[in-house]
Amino acid sequence: RPGVVVNCCWSLMTLLMHLGSADPDDRIPSHYLSARLPLLLQTLLQTGLGASAELGRLRTAAFEAMAGIVGTLPEDQLGLLPQLIGFCLEQPQWEQRPDLLPQFSALLQAAYRRLGRVEQPERVLGLVLGRLQQGEAAAEDLLLLLDTLLPLLEPRLIASHLSAMLGPLLGGCGQWS
């Protein structure tokens, strides 16, 4: 029953967001469910990845719950973020399941915001810009991810990729002119 699963995802997100803080400057050291967060995130990830396109509502709920949880992780669970980011970036779904790009983009945004830095910035920026230059259908989501990345990147890295960024950015702006 997908409706029950969707409601469970929303309730988990609400519960964990209530225990945590969406403000990255708030340093919540731990909370009652800290020890269970790895299992909760793994369960939500399996739910989201297992949902077919026909069950888009279920997939969306699972990924949004993960993003909400990730955005409010207590300090004792920040070690989960590099693993989660690595998992998202290694996924063959980037190539084989482009319908998942919006969900992975949102999850990566939440993780980078909470972590406050980008590990392997060249790789991440190359992946995002490569997909944008291909005219990716999920360009809106990838541009939001790029927007999250930019303040966390070193200026020299941005400068070295500026021409690759300007094409999709100016092209996107030109769609409305």
Side-chain angles (χ1 to χ4, degrees):
R1 297 180 10 173
V4 171
V5 176
V6 167
N7 290 339
C8 286
C9 290
W10 295 128
S11 294
L12 278 171
M13 180 177 72
T14 301
L15 172 66
L16 290 161
M17 288 176 70
H18 179 69
L19 292 173
S21 173
D23 184 350
D25 292 331
D26 287 347
R27 302 288 180 215
I28 308 290
S30 185
H31 60 58
Y32 303 111
L33 294 177
S34 284
R36 293 195 166 101
L37 287 174
L39 177 62
L40 289 171
L41 286 171
Q42 180 181 13
T43 301
L44 288 167
L45 190 58
Q46 289 171 346
T47 300
L49 291 175
S52 65
E54 296 80 39
L55 296 174
R57 190 172 136 223
L58 191 149
R59 180 190 300 163
T60 298
F63 273 92
E64 286 187 10
M66 280 187 289
I69 292 167
V70 162
T72 61
L73 278 177
E75 293 290 309
D76 68 341
Q77 295 300 313
L78 291 181
L80 295 171
L81 294 180
Q83 293 174 298
L84 184 63
I85 290 168
F87 178 83
C88 289
L89 295 176
E90 294 295 329
Q91 284 303 298
Q93 280 90 332
W94 280 77
E95 297 297 328
Q96 298 168 2
R97 299 266 315 270
D99 57 315
L100 288 174
L101 278 176
Q103 286 83 12
F104 278 121
S105 293
L107 189 52
L108 287 167
Q109 286 176 59
Y112 287 130
R113 280 189 189 114
R114 184 65 182 108
L115 198 55
R117 67 179 185 281
V118 179
E119 295 181 0
Q120 301 178 357
E122 285 275 355
R123 179 173 171 239
V124 175
L125 192 55
L127 179 63
V128 171
L129 292 175
R131 296 303 296 210
L132 281 170
Q133 289 172 340
Q134 294 173 13
E136 181 59 54
E140 184 176 344
D141 300 292
L142 290 168
L143 287 167
L144 286 172
L145 177 55
L146 180 64
D147 185 60
T148 299
L149 294 172
L150 287 173
L152 301 174
L153 298 174
E154 294 182 21
R156 65 163 186 77
L157 180 61
I158 293 170
S160 69
H161 288 83
L162 196 54
S163 61
M165 280 183 223
L166 288 179
L169 292 174
L170 293 175
C173 290
Q175 290 180 12
W176 292 102
S177 58

